């Protein structure tokens, strides 16, 4: 049998995701790809590879088995994970022996967990990517019974961990003005940067609905604007007055007016906000946004240097028995900062 | 045709996008300008620009803002805007004229009669008008490869219906506000279902995965239900195309 990850049980919204398919907007196909792109980068850093394809698990994981020994990394929303019943640390890489049972339960915080395999998944590409883009009819959810092909792994370390940016419980999101910000009354633009929002139950790979604390938002007089290009991070306001942040699988064009755009560096925080999380927005200038983008790219480039061994070599530890060797999996939301 | 005041307009989209708009509502010249301008942007292929697309009345560019500064890209765009009258620019080369056979009315397209009445035409007149119209792919969107087509004659300036049609099948030709949409997916719609086609607009795995490109032109000649039934087994669904200039 070829190298594969066998899926014995799968949560309802589990898909393969990579960096998506740029270049098809003119044909009405949005880029798609992982909801939390930073989690893809973190997995790549843990495995010492380039960002590739991971299994994106929305809310809950599943039960997995490796056809042969393989390296794995777990990133994104911390989930309760065990290997043959033994707890596994999240934000870390591990060795998955052939036949061992990897069980990944519900998210302890955040929304999307990612399972990476050494060598990457090697399923069929559609238009140059393995990402499922369900609203566009590309690919399909991963179901129980699937055998996901895994590519050859050049090998490398396991038992590594990574302290990651806290982004699993909401927070402050930086926004820039969008092409239609000016259509909204001054009072709304001001209020948008001051009040808090709650992440609604309604959220998926297309977008995330936010319930405002106070009055709704909208453009006076039901203005009809010509359909215009949409970019991930755009915040559109539909008839119900609630802002809706458009995400990876958004449409490429839309007629609802857009109030602002969340900067790319803060999109992982939107993706990972669980239902009920509090989010707020802060307007920043385009120059400040470009500085934030530069800092974000620098942070990604430096991820490999932040990888640390999970446990020290016992030979170097004189009082081994008095130490807590592994921490963080008891609560799952503690990242050893 | 004169530009509306304030157009062409350059706006930013997020931190890595720029949009050149030729109007604030759909018109033939504004759409023509968007198509022609985008073709020129593609031809220029400026370093740092990663993708371009045309929407109904605009050209969108996605670029790396840390590599190519906003001010520099805006200056390039202004130079291109001022280089000619885009509202009268010839449409770009490499376009195609498609012929997509269509069943109008009957069980396959139940709102044809209703749409004809809304347009103030008899069913015979409506059939002649729609099957004789040659429309342009003004934009692709909503779903991959799914075209908006226009403009239809003035009598077809009919509003969307109040209630949504819960489900139309792929290949459904729907109409409102002087435009067609040809669905690639099963969907609910507020537009009236006037025709049914069997054309396959999405062909993943082929060199050209989407049959229609922005700026292509399409006619929807009328065929009988019997002919349509035979076409459904055909790889092209009865559709054919020829190169335009």
């Amino acid at each position: 049998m070829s190298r594969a990850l066998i899926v014995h049980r799968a949560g309802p919204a589990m898909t393969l995701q990579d960096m998506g398919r740029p270049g098809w907007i003119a044909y009405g196909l949005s880029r798609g790809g992982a909801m939390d792109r930073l989690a893809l980068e973190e997995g790549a850093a843990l495995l010492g590879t380039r960002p590739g394809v991971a299994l994106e698990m929305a809310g809950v994981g599943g039960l997995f088995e490796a056809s042969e020994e393989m390296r794995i990394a777990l990133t994104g929303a911390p989930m309760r994970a065990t290997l043959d019943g033994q707890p596994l640390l999240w934000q870390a890489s591990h060795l998955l022996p052939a036949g061992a049972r990897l069980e990944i339960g519900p998210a302890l915080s955040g929304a999307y967990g990612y399972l990476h395999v050494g060598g990457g998944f090697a399923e069929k590409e559609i238009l140059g990517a393995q990402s499922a883009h369900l609203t566009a009819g590309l690919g399909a959810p991963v179901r129980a019974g699937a055998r996901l092909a895994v590519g050859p792994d050049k090998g490398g370390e396991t038992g590594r961990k990574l302290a990651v940016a806290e982004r699993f419980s909401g927070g402050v999101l930086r926004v820039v003005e969008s092409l239609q910000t000016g259509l909204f009354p001054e009072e709304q633009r001001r209020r948008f940067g001051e009040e808090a929002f709650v992440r609604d139950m309604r959220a998926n790979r297309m977008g995330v609905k936010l319930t405002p604390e106070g009055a709704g938002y909208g453009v006076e007089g039901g203005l009809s604007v010509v359909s215009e290009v949409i970019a991930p991070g755009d915040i559109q306001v539909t008839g119900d007055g609630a802002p809706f942040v458009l995400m990876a699988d958004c449409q490429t064009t839309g007629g609802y007016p857009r109030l602002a755009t969340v900067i790319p560096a803060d999109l992982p925080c939107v993706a990972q906000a669980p239902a009920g999380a509090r989010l707020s927005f802060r307007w920043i200038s385009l120059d400040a946004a470009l500085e934030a983008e530069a800092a974000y790219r620098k942070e990604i480039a430096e991820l490999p240097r932040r990888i640390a061994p999970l446990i020290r070599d016992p030979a170097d530890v004189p009082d081994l028995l008095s130490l807590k060797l592994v921490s963080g999996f008891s609560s799952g939301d503690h990242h050893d900062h | 045709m004169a530009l509306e005041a304030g157009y062409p307009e350059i706006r930013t989209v997020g931190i890595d996008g720029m949009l050149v708009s030729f109007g604030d509502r759909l018109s033939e010249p504004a759409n023509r300008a968007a198509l022609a301008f985008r073709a020129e942007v593609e031809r220029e292929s400026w370093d740092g620009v990663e993708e371009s697309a045309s929407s109904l009345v605009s050209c969108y560019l996605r670029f790396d803002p840390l590599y190519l500064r906003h001010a520099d890209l805006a200056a390039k765009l202004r130079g291109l805007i001022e280089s000619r009258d885009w509202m009268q620019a010839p449409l770009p080369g490499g376009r195609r004229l498609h012929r997509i056979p269509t069943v109008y009315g009957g069980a396959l397209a139940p709102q044809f009669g209703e749409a004809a009445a809304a347009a103030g035409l008899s069913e015979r007149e409506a059939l002649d008008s729609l099957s004789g119209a040659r429309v342009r792919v003004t934009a692709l969107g909503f779903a991959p490869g799914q075209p908006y087509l226009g403009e239809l004659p003035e009598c077809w300036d009919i509003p969307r219906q109040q209630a949504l049609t819960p489900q139309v099948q792929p290949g459904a030709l729907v109409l409102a506000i002087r435009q067609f949409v040809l669905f690639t997916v099963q969907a609910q719609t507020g537009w009236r279902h006037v025709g049914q086609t069997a054309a396959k607009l999405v062909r993943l795995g082929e060199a050209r995965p989407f049959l229609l490109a922005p700026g292509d032109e399409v006619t929807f000649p009328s065929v009988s239900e019997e002919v349509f039934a035979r076409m459904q087994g055909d790889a092209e669904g009865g559709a054919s195309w020829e190169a335009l200039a």
Side-chain angles (χ1 to χ4, degrees):
Chain A
M1 284 304 267
S2 55
R3 227 165 116 72
L5 185 77
I6 303 153
V7 182
H8 293 296
R9 198 174 66 236
M14 183 184 286
T15 52
L16 288 178
Q17 292 297 337
D18 49 27
M19 288 294 185
R21 298 175 182 79
W24 294 101
I25 292 176
Y27 289 91
L29 173 60
S30 59
R31 179 171 173 170
M35 283 288 277
D36 179 352
R37 282 165 151 63
L38 185 53
L40 274 194
E41 302 276 5
E42 289 162 345
L46 280 162
L47 293 173
T49 56
R50 296 173 55 79
V53 196
L55 194 57
E56 180 178 279
M57 303 172 286
V60 63
L63 181 62
F64 308 94
E65 180 192 333
S67 69
E68 55 187 74
E69 184 177 272
M70 59 182 69
R71 301 188 301 145
I72 61 164
L74 303 167
T75 67
M79 293 173 155
R80 203 180 303 282
T82 56
L83 182 59
D84 283 339
Q86 292 301 307
L88 279 187
L89 189 68
W90 207 262
Q91 320 299 358
S93 64
H94 306 280
L95 197 63
L96 187 56
R101 290 167 85 75
L102 169 68
E103 189 156 18
I104 299 177
L108 302 159
S109 62
Y112 291 94
Y114 292 83
L115 167 59
H116 312 254
V117 293
F121 290 102
E123 288 291 307
K124 188 167 146 284
E125 289 194 345
I126 307 171
L127 300 181
Q130 290 181 50
S131 275
H133 191 320
L134 301 182
T135 51
L138 307 184
V142 173
R143 303 271 187 226
R147 283 182 66 94
L148 299 172
V150 174
D153 187 5
K154 292 196 190 72
E157 301 279 3
T158 54
R160 304 300 226 214
K161 66 177 180 181
L162 176 62
V164 303
E166 213 314 300
R167 57 181 186 275
F168 306 109
S169 52
V172 181
L173 308 166
R174 292 162 291 179
V175 294
V176 290
E177 293 195 346
S178 111
L179 59 153
Q180 292 160 336
T181 303
L183 299 175
F184 289 81
E186 174 65 36
E187 174 274 329
Q188 286 189 25
R189 285 181 267 164
R190 186 185 47 76
R191 188 157 55 86
F192 182 71
E194 291 171 357
E195 73 173 333
F197 297 80
V198 173
R199 202 286 238 159
D200 190 82
M201 289 298 291
R202 268 178 292 181
N204 56 29
R205 291 186 39 84
M206 288 175 74
V208 175
K209 186 177 166 182
L210 304 173
T211 309
E213 239 176 0
Y217 289 78
V219 171
E220 304 291 308
L223 182 75
S224 72
V225 287
V226 67
S227 281
E228 203 39 274
V229 67
I230 286 176
D234 281 3
I235 301 174
Q236 74 177 16
V237 180
T238 56
D240 66 1
F244 188 85
V245 188
L246 292 148
M247 299 297 284
D249 288 356
C250 60
Q251 289 172 217
T252 53
T253 168
Y256 290 114
R258 275 160 266 149
L259 175 55
T261 305
V262 179
I263 66 170
D266 290 351
L267 282 179
C269 183
V270 181
Q272 293 291 10
R278 285 169 67 82
L279 292 159
S280 59
F281 297 93
R282 187 158 57 83
W283 293 102
I284 61 170
S285 68
L286 188 56
D287 284 342
L290 293 177
E291 278 171 35
E293 176 68 9
Y296 178 55
R297 292 189 197 180
K298 187 160 172 272
E299 181 193 341
I300 288 170
E302 286 173 355
L303 285 174
R305 290 207 285 285
R306 300 217 329 257
I307 306 292
L310 219 47
I311 42 176
R312 286 179 289 170
D313 183 343
D316 300 338
V317 185
D319 53 345
L320 188 64
L321 291 175
S322 70
L323 288 177
K324 187 167 67 162
L325 291 179
V326 180
S327 68
F329 56 71
S330 54
S331 68
D333 52 8
H334 169 70
H335 301 302
D336 291 337
H337 284 302
Chain B
M1 171 167 168
L3 271 168
E4 295 159 64
Y7 291 96
E9 181 186 31
I10 300 177
R11 288 175 291 176
T12 55
V13 181
I15 71 162
D16 63 352
M18 228 171 249
L19 191 74
V20 179
S21 300
F22 294 92
D24 61 2
R25 58 194 170 79
L26 177 60
S27 68
E28 191 284 326
N31 180 247
R32 165 185 297 266
L35 291 164
F37 192 86
R38 187 220 166 189
E40 204 56 30
V41 164
E42 285 284 307
R43 211 179 58 79
E44 292 276 359
S45 59
W46 293 312
D47 202 15
V49 173
E50 290 169 346
E51 178 170 11
S52 79
S54 57
S55 51
L56 289 172
V57 298
S58 308
C59 169
Y60 168 68
L61 294 87
R62 188 171 58 81
F63 63 104
D64 180 348
L66 300 188
Y67 180 82
L68 174 58
R69 292 166 46 88
H70 279 75
D72 295 343
L73 180 56
K76 287 181 197 289
L77 289 169
R78 269 193 298 273
L80 200 54
I81 287 168
E82 284 157 15
S83 68
R84 72 207 73 172
D85 179 358
W86 291 99
M87 305 293 269
Q88 298 190 38
L91 286 164
R95 295 175 308 117
R96 295 175 177 184
L97 170 60
H98 303 263
R99 196 174 167 280
I100 301 180
T102 305
V103 173
Y104 291 96
L108 288 171
Q111 291 173 301
F112 171 74
E114 194 184 309
L121 303 176
S122 71
E123 293 205 7
R124 181 73 247 174
E125 290 166 332
L127 183 70
D128 290 343
S129 172
L130 295 181
S131 63
R134 180 163 152 178
V135 285
R136 181 195 303 162
V137 177
T138 48
L140 293 155
F142 180 71
Q146 181 168 304
Y148 290 74
L149 306 122
E151 278 187 306
L152 289 162
E154 201 137 351
C155 61
W156 293 108
D157 193 6
I158 62 174
R160 296 177 179 86
Q161 51 189 1
Q162 291 294 327
L164 289 177
T165 304
Q167 203 174 80
V168 293
Q169 296 306 311
L173 187 67
V174 302
L175 185 158
I177 44 178
R178 295 183 70 182
Q179 295 175 84
F180 282 134
V181 167
L182 179 53
F183 275 98
T184 57
V185 291
Q186 198 178 69
Q188 65 170 20
T189 177
W191 296 36
R192 286 186 175 85
H193 186 185
V194 297
Q196 185 64 38
T197 74
K200 293 170 182 62
L201 302 189
V202 180
R203 301 121 181 267
L204 301 176
E206 291 185 24
R208 180 165 159 142
F210 302 108
L211 180 66
L212 305 178
D216 282 1
E217 293 175 27
V218 188
T219 61
F220 294 96
S222 167
V223 294
S224 68
E225 289 182 3
E226 294 71 39
V227 172
F228 177 81
R230 282 205 299 280
M231 283 182 339
Q232 284 186 293
D234 165 39
E236 296 296 323
S240 58
W241 61 270
E242 62 189 76
L244 282 167

